[in-house]
Amino acid sequence: MDESLATAVDQLVHRHAQPGSSLLAILHAIQDELGYVPPRAVEPLARALNLSRAEVHGVITYYHHFRTQPPAPVTVQLCRAESCRSMGTEALAQHIEAHTGCHFDTAHEPGATVELESVYCLGQCALSPAMMLNGTLHARVSPQKFDTLFAAARKCVEVPA
Ligand code: FES
């Protein structure tokens, strides 16, 4: 593991793991800061909260929200719950897969620039279909709107030649 990442993890655990702290709150804080919860965090979290490593690992893997590897630079989270389904999110998902050449809910290769993830309700049911693109919420997403947003997001992560 990268030494700077190990140091960052240790500092985050030390900063957030106080007596009475909630494991979930700490996991959210780590993921908010690093973009994921590195497996390296399990042992210091268990020690700080007087839990077993299996308990910490179990919570991380139980909640789909927590990532154990860094996200791709362009991450699409498309809502596939009822309201969005009734407004065409499955056709939109097919469009997104065809447009990006990626598949939803498959582990992305290290170095991949795009990741597609299904989520189930983003709290924007009245504005379906909804999606998050790199953490920003978008509503009433059409294929054309997706293409525009996706192009802008890709442009932001492209390294100039
Ligand atoms: S069902 Fe998609 S935002 Fe609620």
Side-chain angles (χ1 to χ4, degrees):
M1 170 190 260
D2 177 327
E3 192 139 328
S4 63
L5 179 59
T7 303
V9 168
D10 287 342
Q11 289 174 345
L12 281 166
V13 170
H14 181 73
R15 189 182 331 144
H16 295 286
Q18 304 299 323
S21 297
S22 150
L23 174 59
L24 280 176
I26 299 168
L27 292 173
H28 279 288
I30 291 172
Q31 183 155 301
D32 286 349
E33 193 137 338
L34 301 178
Y36 71 114
V37 180
R40 163 73 172 73
V42 170
E43 199 279 328
L45 278 171
R47 197 170 355 102
L49 298 176
N50 198 24
L51 298 169
S52 71
R53 285 180 291 173
E55 287 172 305
V56 175
H57 176 77
V59 170
I60 294 169
T61 53
Y62 178 80
Y63 290 101
H64 184 68
H65 172 74
F66 294 120
R67 301 170 172 279
T68 55
Q69 63 175 344
V74 178
T75 301
V76 175
Q77 294 172 302
L78 180 68
C79 177
R80 301 177 87 163
E82 284 73 10
S83 175
C84 289
R85 287 179 83 89
S86 74
M87 295 301 287
T89 201
E90 290 310 306
L92 179 59
Q94 287 178 8
H95 170 82
I96 291 171
E97 288 187 333
H99 186 80
T100 62
C102 300
H103 295 285
F104 276 92
D105 306 319
T106 56
H108 66 284
E109 298 293 322
T113 56
V114 179
E115 180 178 359
L116 306 179
E117 181 184 351
S118 299
V119 294
Y120 295 89
C121 198
L122 292 166
Q124 298 295 313
C125 309
L127 302 171
S128 299
M131 75 168 190
M132 300 271 281
L133 180 58
N134 285 353
T136 301
L137 183 61
H138 298 279
R140 292 198 172 121
V141 180
S142 64
Q144 296 74 24
K145 184 173 180 177
F146 173 82
D147 292 352
T148 302
L149 294 167
F150 183 73
R154 291 245 3 196
K155 202 169 184 179
C156 287
V157 300
E158 281 176 2
V159 179

